[in-house]
Structures are given as C-alpha cells and as structure tokens.
Amino acid sequence: MRFTLLILFVAGFLVPLTAYAFDLPKDQVELIAKKAHEILPGSKISDGSIIGDERAKNLKYPLIPYDDIQRTVIRGYISGFAAVCKLDWGERSFMPYMQGIRKAHRDWTDYQFAYVGTLHGLSMGNAEGSISEDKCTDDFKANLENN
C-alpha cells in the first residue's frame, strides 16, 4: 500500500524528500503489530475497562486483517510526524481514522478497535522518536495535513 508523503523509508532511516511514497517494509509492520498485540492487555475497551491478561489470552494474533494493520501503522506514523510538527494530530488524523474504521468494520469487537488504537499509538510513538522538529518545513506539514 502506498501513501503520498514527504518521506521515504530507506534502510531504517527517514529521509525528507519531496512528494514520494511512504512505505514501511512488511517485516517492520509485522514487528510493530506483534508488539501492539503484546501490550494489548493494558489497553481499554469502549466501556473504559482494561482488557487485562485474562481476557487478552483469548485474543489470537492477528486480530485484524493485514491491510488494516498496515493502514493503521502508516496512520500512526502520520500522526506521530504531525505531533512533532505541532499539528492537531488528534482531530486531523486519529479521530477521522478511527471513525472510518468503526464505520467500515461495524462487525468488529471492542477488542479489535482497542487493538487499532494501541497499534496507532505504538506507531505514533515510533514516528515521534524518528524525526526532529527541524524537519517540519511548510511543505512537510502541508503534506501531513493532506494525508
């Protein structure tokens, strides 16, 4: 899956470029996805309760299809870059994404939606640690806002 963004992921380093596609290698997406599954017991479901170890042990990986995992990881990276650049990642990236996921997958469980949120947050944290604020040019920020 390709998304237009101002970066290209090359050998583990983020390189600012102009209007290139943003792809994460499948093995990296899967690594993030498995880590999100590991930390899922600490996540909340819609009623505000924590999933916990007992309930989580019945949740087999992967909880959602790979295409949704990949989209969520990339959305998390976009949100993370937006946060570094002081953009409203919550209202402009995360919330619309979650609304779209909920609408597209009305048959999913609370656990699957909690997994999406956890996956997004973990990906966002990875992105925030991968760039510095000096990468936040006007072009970079404009591209983030358009994704």
Side-chain angles (χ1 to χ4, degrees):
M1 177 132 336
R2 299 179 79 66
F3 292 84
T4 303
L5 198 58
L6 288 175
I7 56 168
L8 177 64
F9 202 84
V10 179
F13 298 98
L14 293 170
V15 181
L17 297 171
T18 307
Y20 280 84
F22 178 63
D23 280 330
L24 288 173
K26 185 174 183 173
D27 60 336
Q28 184 171 0
V29 170
E30 289 177 351
L31 183 69
I32 295 167
K34 287 177 183 171
K35 182 63 178 173
H37 191 84
E38 288 174 21
I39 65 174
L40 191 59
S43 299
K44 290 183 181 181
I45 55 176
S46 64
D47 68 4
S49 66
I50 301 292
I51 293 173
D53 291 330
E54 191 62 31
R55 288 189 277 186
K57 72 180 179 184
N58 297 318
L59 303 174
K60 303 298 178 211
Y61 179 84
L63 286 178
I64 62 175
Y66 179 79
D67 286 349
D68 290 303
I69 290 171
Q70 185 180 40
R71 275 191 291 275
T72 303
V73 168
I74 290 178
R75 176 55 50 190
Y77 269 78
I78 291 169
S79 295
F81 297 146
V84 171
C85 294
K86 309 279 191 261
L87 300 174
D88 187 356
W89 65 269
E91 291 295 321
R92 306 273 318 221
S93 181
F94 178 67
M95 294 305 292
Y97 182 73
M98 287 303 292
Q99 288 169 349
I101 284 284
R102 287 184 180 280
K103 186 174 182 180
H105 300 290
R106 294 180 192 272
D107 59 331
W108 279 11
T109 66
D110 274 352
Y111 303 112
Q112 289 170 300
F113 293 122
Y115 177 71
V116 170
T118 301
L119 184 58
H120 177 276
L122 187 60
S123 302
M124 184 176 169
N126 286 348
E128 287 176 291
S130 70
I131 67 167
S132 60
E133 204 171 323
D134 65 329
K135 303 289 187 218
C136 298
T137 64
D138 289 342
D139 286 341
F140 187 82
K141 290 192 281 189
N143 198 306
L144 289 172
E145 294 220 343
N146 291 325
N147 279 293

